[in-house]
Amino acid sequence: MIASDRSSIDRIISRNSAVNWPPRSCYSPPLDFFLRSRVKSLVYSNKPQTVDDLKANVVRVINEIRPDFCARVITNLVFRTHSTNRNHGGYLK
């Protein structure tokens, strides 16, 4: 699908884009891939029936994200990065 608003003309919004990023790519910030799925699961948890319900859920869920939660995500990223380095890029348990 090609975005239709003026600010993003010719930008592709698709899972099958020209760049095939691997899952959990180092190019995908942890807050991006982790929070996206977390927010999505919380937004749809009560199965909104209208667009207004969906919008209200998005606003509510985003407003409930606390800075300490984001800090824990980043702390976990640092831990995993150090673990990966210690294992020379090998498998992490």
Side-chain angles (χ1 to χ4, degrees), residues 3 7 12 16-17 21-22 26-27 29-30 33-34 39 41 47 51 61 66 68 75 83-85 90-92:
S7 64
I12 297 175
N16 300 317
S17 68
W21 298 111
C26 62
Y27 299 106
F33 76 77
F34 175 77
V39 166
S41 68
K47 299 180 181 159
V51 172
V61 169
R66 300 289 173 231
D68 63 310
T75 299
S83 297
T84 301
N85 286 340
Y91 176 75
L92 298 177

Side-chain angles (χ1 to χ4, degrees), residues 44-93:
Y44 286 98
S45 65
N46 68 351
K47 299 180 181 159
Q49 300 298 310
T50 67
V51 172
D52 288 337
D53 291 342
L54 180 62
K55 288 178 182 179
N57 282 356
V58 169
V59 169
R60 178 184 51 79
V61 169
I62 296 295
N63 285 335
E64 290 174 355
I65 296 173
R66 300 289 173 231
D68 63 310
F69 181 76
C70 295
R72 289 193 316 264
V73 171
I74 292 180
T75 299
N76 182 269
L77 170 69
V78 171
F79 172 77
R80 289 184 293 118
T81 301
H82 288 293
S83 297
T84 301
N85 286 340
R86 279 192 304 275
N87 289 330
H88 305 289
Y91 176 75
L92 298 177
K93 291 182 181 181

